[in-house]
Coordinates of all heavy atoms in Angstrom, one line a residue:
M978 N 0.8 -1.2 0.0 CA 0.0 0.0 0.0 C 0.9 1.2 0.0 O 1.8 1.4 0.8 CB -0.8 0.0 1.2 CG -1.7 1.2 1.4 SD -2.7 1.0 2.9 CE -1.9 2.2 4.0
C979 N 0.6 2.2 -0.8 CA 1.3 3.4 -0.9 C 0.8 4.3 0.3 O -0.3 4.5 0.5 CB 1.1 4.2 -2.2 SG 1.4 3.2 -3.6
T980 N 1.9 4.9 1.0 CA 1.5 5.8 2.1 C 1.5 7.2 1.6 O 0.9 7.9 2.4 CB 2.5 5.5 3.3 OG1 3.8 6.0 2.8 CG2 2.5 4.1 3.7
Y981 N 2.1 7.4 0.7 CA 2.3 8.9 0.2 C 3.0 9.7 1.1 O 3.0 10.9 1.0 CB 1.0 9.5 -0.2 CG 0.2 8.7 -1.3 CD1 -0.9 7.9 -0.9 CD2 0.7 8.8 -2.6 CE1 -1.5 7.2 -2.0 CE2 0.1 8.0 -3.6 CZ -1.0 7.2 -3.3 OH -1.6 6.4 -4.3
A982 N 3.6 9.0 2.2 CA 4.4 9.8 3.1 C 5.8 10.0 2.6 O 6.4 9.0 2.3 CB 4.4 9.1 4.5
T983 N 6.2 11.2 2.5 CA 7.6 11.4 2.0 C 8.3 12.2 3.1 O 7.8 13.2 3.6 CB 7.5 12.3 0.7 OG1 6.7 11.6 -0.3 CG2 8.9 12.7 0.2
V984 N 9.5 11.6 3.4 CA 10.3 12.3 4.5 C 11.6 12.7 3.7 O 12.2 12.0 3.0 CB 10.7 11.2 5.5 CG1 11.6 11.8 6.6 CG2 9.4 10.7 6.2
S985 N 11.8 14.0 4.0 CA 13.0 14.7 3.4 C 13.9 15.1 4.6 O 13.5 15.6 5.5 CB 12.7 15.9 2.6 OG 11.8 15.5 1.5
E986 N 15.3 15.1 4.3 CA 16.3 15.4 5.3 C 17.5 16.0 4.6 O 17.8 15.5 3.5 CB 16.7 14.2 6.2 CG 17.5 14.5 7.3 CD 16.7 15.3 8.4 OE1 15.6 15.0 8.8 OE2 17.4 16.3 8.8
Q987 N 18.1 17.0 5.1 CA 19.3 17.5 4.6 C 20.4 16.5 5.1 O 20.4 16.1 6.3 CB 19.6 18.9 5.0 CG 18.7 19.9 4.3 CD 19.1 21.3 4.7 OE1 19.8 21.6 5.5 NE2 18.6 22.2 3.9
V988 N 21.3 16.3 4.2 CA 22.5 15.3 4.6 C 23.7 15.9 4.1 O 23.7 16.8 3.3 CB 22.2 13.9 3.9 CG1 21.0 13.2 4.5 CG2 22.1 13.9 2.5
D989 N 24.8 15.4 4.5 CA 26.2 15.8 4.1 C 27.0 14.4 3.7 O 27.3 13.8 4.7 CB 26.8 16.6 5.1 CG 28.2 17.1 4.7 OD1 28.5 17.1 3.4 OD2 29.0 17.5 5.6
G990 N 27.3 14.2 2.5 CA 28.0 13.0 2.2 C 28.3 13.0 0.7 O 28.2 14.0 0.0
S991 N 28.6 11.8 0.2 CA 29.0 11.7 -1.2 C 28.3 10.3 -1.7 O 28.0 9.4 -1.0 CB 30.6 11.5 -1.4 OG 31.2 12.6 -1.0
A992 N 28.1 10.3 -3.0 CA 27.4 9.1 -3.7 C 28.2 9.0 -5.0 O 28.6 9.9 -5.6 CB 26.0 9.4 -3.9
K993 N 28.3 7.7 -5.4 CA 28.9 7.5 -6.8 C 27.7 7.3 -7.8 O 26.7 6.5 -7.6 CB 29.6 6.1 -6.7 CG 30.5 6.0 -8.0 CD 31.2 4.6 -8.0 CE 32.5 4.8 -7.4 NZ 33.4 3.7 -7.6
G994 N 27.7 8.2 -8.8 CA 26.6 8.2 -9.7 C 26.9 7.6 -11.1 O 27.9 6.8 -11.2
P995 N 26.2 8.1 -12.1 CA 26.5 7.5 -13.5 C 27.9 7.8 -13.9 O 28.5 8.8 -13.5 CB 25.5 8.4 -14.2 CG 24.4 8.9 -13.3 CD 25.2 9.1 -12.0
G996 N 28.4 6.8 -14.6 CA 29.8 6.8 -15.1 C 30.9 6.6 -13.9 O 32.0 6.9 -14.2
G997 N 30.4 6.3 -12.7 CA 31.4 6.0 -11.7 C 31.9 7.4 -11.1 O 32.9 7.2 -10.3
Q998 N 31.2 8.4 -11.4 CA 31.7 9.7 -10.8 C 31.2 9.9 -9.4 O 29.8 9.8 -9.3 CB 31.4 10.8 -11.7 CG 32.0 10.8 -13.1 CD 33.5 10.8 -13.0 OE1 34.1 11.6 -12.3 NE2 34.2 9.9 -13.7
W999 N 31.9 10.4 -8.5 CA 31.5 10.8 -7.2 C 31.0 12.2 -7.1 O 31.4 13.0 -7.9 CB 32.6 10.6 -6.1 CG 33.0 9.3 -5.8 CD1 33.9 8.5 -6.4 CD2 32.4 8.5 -4.7 NE1 33.9 7.2 -5.8 CE2 33.0 7.2 -4.7 CE3 31.4 8.7 -3.8 CZ2 32.7 6.2 -3.9 CZ3 31.0 7.8 -2.9 CH2 31.7 6.5 -2.9
F1000 N 29.9 12.4 -6.3 CA 29.3 13.8 -6.3 C 28.8 13.9 -4.8 O 28.5 13.0 -4.2 CB 28.2 14.1 -7.3 CG 27.0 13.2 -7.1 CD1 25.9 13.6 -6.4 CD2 26.9 11.9 -7.7 CE1 24.8 12.8 -6.3 CE2 25.8 11.1 -7.6 CZ 24.7 11.6 -6.8
H1001 N 28.8 15.2 -4.4 CA 28.4 15.6 -3.0 C 26.9 15.5 -3.0 O 26.1 15.8 -3.9 CB 28.8 17.0 -2.7 CG 28.5 17.5 -1.4 ND1 27.7 18.6 -1.1 CD2 28.8 16.9 -0.2 CE1 27.5 18.7 0.2 NE2 28.3 17.7 0.8
V1002 N 26.4 14.8 -1.9 CA 24.9 14.9 -1.6 C 24.4 15.7 -0.6 O 25.1 15.8 0.4 CB 24.3 13.4 -1.6 CG1 24.5 12.6 -2.8 CG2 25.1 12.7 -0.4
T1003 N 23.4 16.4 -0.8 CA 22.9 17.4 0.2 C 21.5 17.0 0.7 O 21.0 17.5 1.8 CB 22.9 18.8 -0.3 OG1 22.1 18.9 -1.4 CG2 24.3 19.2 -0.7
D1004 N 20.7 16.3 -0.1 CA 19.4 16.1 0.2 C 19.1 14.5 0.1 O 19.5 13.8 -0.8 CB 18.5 16.7 -0.9 CG 18.6 18.3 -0.8 OD1 19.7 18.8 -0.7 OD2 17.5 18.8 -0.7
A1005 N 18.2 14.0 1.1 CA 17.7 12.7 1.1 C 16.2 12.7 1.1 O 15.7 13.5 1.9 CB 18.4 11.9 2.3
T1006 N 15.6 11.9 0.3 CA 14.2 11.7 0.3 C 13.8 10.3 0.4 O 14.4 9.5 -0.4 CB 13.6 12.3 -1.0 OG1 14.0 13.7 -1.2 CG2 12.1 12.3 -1.0
V1007 N 12.9 10.0 1.3 CA 12.6 8.6 1.6 C 11.0 8.5 1.5 O 10.4 9.3 2.1 CB 13.1 8.1 3.1 CG1 12.7 6.7 3.2 CG2 14.6 8.4 3.2
Y1008 N 10.6 7.4 0.8 CA 9.1 7.2 0.7 C 8.8 5.8 0.4 O 9.7 5.1 -0.1 CB 8.6 8.2 -0.3 CG 9.1 8.1 -1.7 CD1 8.7 7.4 -2.7 CD2 10.4 8.8 -2.0 CE1 9.3 7.2 -4.0 CE2 11.1 8.7 -3.2 CZ 10.5 8.0 -4.2 OH 11.1 7.8 -5.4
Y1009 N 7.6 5.4 0.6 CA 7.2 4.0 0.4 C 6.2 4.1 -0.6 O 5.1 4.7 -0.6 CB 6.6 3.4 1.7 CG 6.4 1.9 1.6 CD1 7.5 1.0 1.7 CD2 5.2 1.3 1.5 CE1 7.4 -0.3 1.7 CE2 5.0 0.0 1.4 CZ 6.1 -0.9 1.5 OH 5.9 -2.2 1.4
D1010 N 6.5 3.5 -1.9 CA 5.6 3.6 -3.1 C 5.9 2.5 -4.0 O 6.7 1.6 -3.8 CB 5.9 5.0 -3.6 CG 4.8 5.5 -4.5 OD1 3.8 4.7 -4.9 OD2 4.8 6.7 -4.9
H1011 N 5.1 2.6 -5.2 CA 5.5 1.7 -6.3 C 6.9 1.9 -6.7 O 7.3 3.0 -7.0 CB 4.5 1.8 -7.4 CG 3.1 1.5 -7.0 ND1 2.6 0.2 -6.9 CD2 2.0 2.4 -6.7 CE1 1.3 0.3 -6.5 NE2 1.0 1.5 -6.5
P1012 N 7.7 0.8 -7.1 CA 9.0 1.0 -7.6 C 8.9 1.4 -9.1 O 8.0 1.1 -9.8 CB 9.7 -0.3 -7.3 CG 8.6 -1.3 -7.3 CD 7.3 -0.5 -6.8
V1013 N 10.0 1.9 -9.6 CA 10.1 2.1 -11.0 C 10.8 0.9 -11.7 O 10.4 0.4 -12.7 CB 11.1 3.4 -11.4 CG1 11.3 3.5 -12.7 CG2 10.4 4.6 -10.8
H1014 N 11.8 0.2 -10.9 CA 12.6 -0.8 -11.5 C 12.5 -2.1 -10.6 O 12.5 -3.2 -11.3 CB 14.1 -0.4 -11.7 CG 14.9 -1.4 -12.4 ND1 15.7 -2.3 -11.8 CD2 15.0 -1.5 -13.7 CE1 16.2 -3.1 -12.7 NE2 15.9 -2.6 -13.9
A1015 N 12.5 -2.1 -9.4 CA 12.5 -3.2 -8.6 C 11.3 -4.1 -8.8 O 10.2 -3.6 -9.2 CB 12.7 -2.9 -7.1
M1016 N 11.5 -5.6 -8.8 CA 10.4 -6.4 -9.0 C 9.7 -6.6 -7.6 O 9.8 -7.7 -7.1 CB 11.0 -7.8 -9.6 CG 11.7 -7.5 -10.9 SD 10.6 -6.6 -12.0 CE 10.4 -7.9 -13.3
A1017 N 8.9 -5.8 -7.2 CA 8.1 -5.8 -6.0 C 6.9 -4.8 -6.2 O 6.9 -3.9 -7.1 CB 8.9 -5.3 -4.8
D1018 N 5.8 -5.1 -5.6 CA 4.7 -4.3 -5.6 C 4.8 -2.9 -5.0 O 4.4 -1.9 -5.6 CB 3.5 -5.0 -4.9 CG 2.9 -6.1 -5.8 OD1 3.1 -6.2 -6.9 OD2 2.3 -7.0 -5.0
H1019 N 5.6 -2.9 -3.9 CA 5.9 -1.7 -3.2 C 7.4 -1.7 -2.7 O 7.8 -2.8 -2.3 CB 5.0 -1.4 -2.1 CG 3.5 -1.1 -2.5 ND1 2.7 -2.2 -2.7 CD2 2.9 0.0 -2.9 CE1 1.4 -1.7 -3.1 NE2 1.6 -0.4 -3.2
T1020 N 8.0 -0.6 -2.6 CA 9.3 -0.6 -2.1 C 9.5 0.7 -1.2 O 8.8 1.7 -1.4 CB 10.4 -0.6 -3.2 OG1 10.2 0.5 -4.1 CG2 10.4 -1.9 -3.9
L1021 N 10.5 0.6 -0.4 CA 11.1 1.8 0.3 C 12.0 2.4 -0.7 O 13.0 1.8 -1.1 CB 11.8 1.6 1.5 CG 12.2 2.8 2.3 CD1 11.1 3.4 3.0 CD2 13.4 2.5 3.3
N1022 N 11.8 3.6 -1.1 CA 12.6 4.4 -2.1 C 13.5 5.4 -1.4 O 12.9 6.2 -0.6 CB 11.8 4.9 -3.2 CG 10.8 3.9 -3.8 OD1 11.3 2.8 -4.2 ND2 9.6 4.1 -3.8
I1023 N 14.7 5.5 -1.8 CA 15.6 6.4 -1.2 C 16.3 7.2 -2.3 O 16.9 6.5 -3.2 CB 16.6 5.8 -0.2 CG1 16.0 4.9 0.9 CG2 17.6 6.8 0.3 CD1 17.0 4.0 1.6
D1024 N 16.2 8.5 -2.3 CA 16.9 9.4 -3.2 C 17.9 10.2 -2.5 O 17.6 10.8 -1.5 CB 15.9 10.3 -4.0 CG 15.0 9.5 -4.9 OD1 15.3 8.3 -5.4 OD2 13.9 10.0 -5.1
L1025 N 19.2 10.1 -2.9 CA 20.3 11.0 -2.4 C 20.7 11.9 -3.6 O 20.9 11.4 -4.7 CB 21.4 10.2 -2.0 CG 21.1 9.1 -0.8 CD1 22.4 8.3 -0.7 CD2 20.7 9.9 0.4
A1026 N 20.7 13.2 -3.4 CA 20.8 14.1 -4.4 C 21.5 15.4 -3.9 O 21.6 15.7 -2.8 CB 19.5 14.5 -5.1
D1027 N 22.0 16.0 -5.0 CA 22.5 17.5 -4.9 C 21.8 18.3 -5.9 O 22.1 18.4 -7.1 CB 24.1 17.6 -5.1 CG 24.5 19.0 -5.0 OD1 23.8 20.0 -4.7 OD2 25.7 19.3 -5.1
P1028 N 20.5 18.8 -5.6 CA 19.7 19.5 -6.5 C 20.4 20.7 -7.2 O 20.1 21.0 -8.4 CB 18.6 20.0 -5.7 CG 18.5 19.2 -4.5 CD 19.9 18.8 -4.3
S1029 N 21.4 21.3 -6.7 CA 22.2 22.4 -7.3 C 22.9 22.0 -8.5 O 23.3 22.8 -9.4 CB 23.1 23.1 -6.2 OG 24.3 22.2 -6.0
R1030 N 23.2 20.7 -8.7 CA 23.9 20.2 -9.8 C 23.0 19.5 -10.9 O 23.4 19.0 -11.8 CB 24.9 19.1 -9.3 CG 25.9 19.7 -8.5 CD 27.1 18.8 -8.1 NE 27.7 18.3 -9.3 CZ 28.4 17.2 -9.4 NH1 28.7 16.5 -8.3 NH2 28.9 16.8 -10.6
G1031 N 21.7 19.7 -10.7 CA 20.8 19.1 -11.7 C 20.3 17.7 -11.5 O 20.8 17.0 -10.5
P1032 N 19.4 17.1 -12.3 CA 18.9 15.8 -12.1 C 20.1 14.7 -12.3 O 19.8 13.5 -11.8 CB 18.0 15.7 -13.3 CG 18.3 16.7 -14.3 CD 19.0 17.8 -13.5
G1033 N 21.2 15.0 -12.8 CA 22.2 13.9 -13.1 C 23.0 13.7 -11.8 O 23.6 12.6 -11.5
A1034 N 22.8 14.5 -10.8 CA 23.5 14.3 -9.4 C 22.5 13.6 -8.4 O 22.0 14.3 -7.5 CB 24.0 15.6 -8.9
R1035 N 22.1 12.5 -8.8 CA 21.1 11.8 -8.0 C 21.5 10.3 -7.9 O 21.7 9.7 -9.0 CB 19.6 12.0 -8.6 CG 18.5 11.2 -7.9 CD 17.2 11.6 -8.6 NE 16.2 10.8 -8.1 CZ 15.6 9.7 -8.7 NH1 16.1 9.3 -9.8 NH2 14.7 9.1 -8.1
L1036 N 21.2 9.7 -6.8 CA 21.3 8.3 -6.6 C 20.0 7.7 -6.2 O 19.6 8.3 -5.1 CB 22.4 8.0 -5.6 CG 22.7 6.4 -5.3 CD1 23.2 5.7 -6.5 CD2 23.5 6.3 -4.1
A1037 N 19.4 6.7 -6.7 CA 18.1 6.2 -6.3 C 18.3 4.7 -5.9 O 18.9 4.0 -6.6 CB 17.0 6.4 -7.5
V1038 N 17.5 4.4 -4.8 CA 17.6 3.0 -4.4 C 16.1 2.6 -4.1 O 15.4 3.4 -3.4 CB 18.4 2.8 -3.1 CG1 18.4 1.4 -2.6 CG2 19.9 3.3 -3.3
E1039 N 15.7 1.4 -4.6 CA 14.4 0.8 -4.2 C 14.7 -0.5 -3.4 O 15.2 -1.5 -4.0 CB 13.6 0.5 -5.5 CG 13.4 1.8 -6.3 CD 12.8 1.4 -7.7 OE1 13.0 0.4 -8.3 OE2 12.1 2.4 -8.2
L1040 N 14.2 -0.6 -2.2 CA 14.3 -1.8 -1.5 C 13.0 -2.4 -1.0 O 12.1 -1.6 -0.6 CB 15.1 -1.4 -0.2 CG 16.6 -0.8 -0.4 CD1 17.1 -0.3 1.0 CD2 17.5 -1.9 -1.0
T1041 N 12.9 -3.7 -0.9 CA 11.7 -4.3 -0.4 C 11.7 -3.9 1.1 O 12.7 -3.5 1.7 CB 11.8 -5.8 -0.5 OG1 12.9 -6.3 0.3 CG2 11.9 -6.4 -2.0
R1042 N 10.6 -4.1 1.6 CA 10.4 -3.7 3.1 C 11.3 -4.5 3.9 O 11.9 -4.0 4.9 CB 8.9 -3.9 3.5 CG 8.6 -3.6 5.0 CD 7.1 -4.0 5.4 NE 6.8 -3.3 6.5 CZ 6.2 -2.1 6.6 NH1 5.8 -1.5 5.6 NH2 6.0 -1.6 7.8
D1043 N 11.5 -5.9 3.7 CA 12.4 -6.6 4.5 C 13.9 -6.1 4.3 O 14.6 -6.1 5.4 CB 12.3 -8.1 4.1 CG 13.0 -9.0 5.0 OD1 12.9 -8.9 6.2 OD2 13.7 -9.8 4.4
S1044 N 14.3 -5.9 3.2 CA 15.6 -5.3 2.8 C 15.9 -4.1 3.6 O 16.9 -3.9 4.1 CB 15.9 -5.2 1.4 OG 15.9 -6.6 0.8
A1045 N 14.9 -3.2 3.5 CA 15.0 -1.8 4.1 C 15.1 -2.0 5.7 O 15.9 -1.2 6.2 CB 13.8 -1.0 3.7
T1046 N 14.2 -2.9 6.2 CA 14.3 -3.0 7.7 C 15.7 -3.6 8.1 O 16.4 -3.1 9.0 CB 13.3 -4.0 8.1 OG1 12.0 -3.6 7.7 CG2 13.3 -4.3 9.6
R1047 N 16.3 -4.5 7.3 CA 17.6 -5.1 7.6 C 18.7 -4.0 7.4 O 19.6 -4.0 8.2 CB 17.9 -6.3 6.7 CG 17.1 -7.5 7.1 CD 17.6 -8.9 6.5 NE 18.0 -8.8 5.1 CZ 17.3 -8.9 4.1 NH1 16.0 -9.3 4.3 NH2 17.8 -8.8 2.8
L1048 N 18.5 -3.2 6.5 CA 19.5 -2.1 6.2 C 19.5 -1.1 7.4 O 20.5 -0.6 7.9 CB 19.3 -1.4 4.9 CG 20.1 -0.2 4.6 CD1 21.7 -0.6 4.5 CD2 19.7 0.6 3.3
V1049 N 18.4 -0.7 7.9 CA 18.2 0.1 9.0 C 18.9 -0.4 10.2 O 19.7 0.2 10.9 CB 16.8 0.5 9.3 CG1 16.6 1.1 10.8 CG2 16.1 1.4 8.3
R1050 N 18.7 -1.7 10.4 CA 19.4 -2.4 11.6 C 20.9 -2.4 11.4 O 21.7 -2.2 12.4 CB 18.9 -3.9 11.8 CG 17.5 -3.9 12.3 CD 17.1 -5.3 12.5 NE 15.7 -5.4 12.8 CZ 14.8 -6.3 12.1 NH1 15.3 -7.2 11.3 NH2 13.6 -6.3 12.4
A1051 N 21.4 -2.7 10.2 CA 22.8 -2.7 10.0 C 23.4 -1.3 10.2 O 24.5 -1.2 10.7 CB 23.1 -3.2 8.5
I1052 N 22.8 -0.3 9.7 CA 23.2 1.1 10.0 C 23.3 1.4 11.4 O 24.3 2.0 11.9 CB 22.3 2.1 9.3 CG1 22.5 2.0 7.7 CG2 22.6 3.6 9.7 CD1 21.5 2.7 6.9
E1053 N 22.3 1.0 12.2 CA 22.2 1.3 13.6 C 23.4 0.5 14.4 O 24.0 1.1 15.2 CB 20.9 0.8 14.2 CG 19.8 1.9 13.9 CD 18.5 1.4 14.4 OE1 18.2 0.2 14.6 OE2 17.5 2.3 14.4
V1054 N 23.6 -0.7 13.9 CA 24.8 -1.5 14.5 C 26.2 -0.8 14.2 O 27.0 -0.6 15.1 CB 24.7 -2.9 14.0 CG1 26.1 -3.7 14.4 CG2 23.5 -3.6 14.7
A1055 N 26.3 -0.4 12.9 CA 27.5 0.2 12.6 C 27.8 1.5 13.3 O 28.8 1.8 13.8 CB 27.6 0.5 11.0
L1056 N 26.7 2.4 13.3 CA 26.8 3.6 14.1 C 27.1 3.4 15.6 O 27.9 4.2 16.2 CB 25.6 4.5 13.9 CG 25.4 5.1 12.6 CD1 24.1 5.8 12.4 CD2 26.5 6.0 12.2
A1057 N 26.5 2.3 16.1 CA 26.6 2.1 17.6 C 28.1 1.6 17.9 O 28.5 1.8 19.0 CB 25.7 1.1 18.1
S1058 N 28.8 1.1 16.9 CA 30.1 0.6 17.1 C 31.1 1.7 17.1 O 32.3 1.5 17.5 CB 30.4 -0.5 16.2 OG 30.6 0.0 14.9
A1059 N 30.8 2.8 16.5 CA 31.8 4.0 16.4 C 31.6 4.9 17.6 O 30.4 5.2 17.9 CB 31.6 4.7 15.1
P1060 N 32.7 5.4 18.0 CA 32.6 6.4 19.2 C 31.9 7.7 18.7 O 32.1 8.1 17.5 CB 34.1 6.7 19.5 CG 34.9 5.6 18.9 CD 34.1 5.1 17.8
E1061 N 31.2 8.4 19.5 CA 30.6 9.7 19.1 C 31.6 10.7 18.7 O 32.6 10.8 19.2 CB 29.7 10.2 20.2 CG 28.5 9.4 20.5 CD 27.3 10.1 20.3 OE1 27.3 11.3 19.9 OE2 26.2 9.5 20.5
G1062 N 31.3 11.4 17.7 CA 32.3 12.5 17.2 C 33.3 12.1 16.3 O 34.1 12.8 15.9
V1063 N 33.3 10.8 15.9 CA 34.4 10.3 15.1 C 33.7 10.0 13.7 O 32.7 9.6 13.4 CB 34.8 9.0 15.6 CG1 35.9 8.4 14.6 CG2 35.6 9.2 16.9

């Protein structure tokens, strides 16, 4: 079921985009909707982008609900293992 809930957050990082080129990302958008490419009825979609560089500076990910949940857990474990401020 599509929730139409879209969560946006400012971020500071890098992503590897088309052609293997790295670019700075400033914006993250997360939403649960129909995927464009993934073979699933619904996916958690994550877009990382730098809008100031145009549509080519975007990385999109479509994950099944189960995969997204496992990724969240993995991120939490990795962050918990690192000292704060590092």
Side-chain angles (χ1 to χ4, degrees):
M978 173 176 106
C979 302
T980 64
Y981 303 106
T983 299
V984 180
S985 297
E986 189 66 50
Q987 290 189 344
V988 297
D989 184 16
S991 295
K993 189 182 273 191
Q998 299 297 315
W999 285 92
F1000 62 95
H1001 185 238
V1002 292
T1003 59
D1004 293 51
T1006 306
V1007 181
Y1008 54 100
Y1009 195 75
D1010 202 345
H1011 296 284
V1013 173
H1014 188 265
M1016 299 308 243
D1018 288 333
H1019 294 86
T1020 53
L1021 182 82
N1022 305 311
I1023 304 169
D1024 293 332
L1025 300 172
D1027 180 356
S1029 72
R1030 295 190 53 200
R1035 177 177 174 260
L1036 173 74
V1038 178
E1039 299 172 335
L1040 299 171
T1041 63
R1042 183 182 192 97
D1043 186 50
S1044 293
T1046 300
R1047 289 194 320 267
L1048 178 60
V1049 167
R1050 288 185 194 133
I1052 290 169
E1053 288 174 338
V1054 168
L1056 288 173
S1058 72
E1061 292 243 1
V1063 176

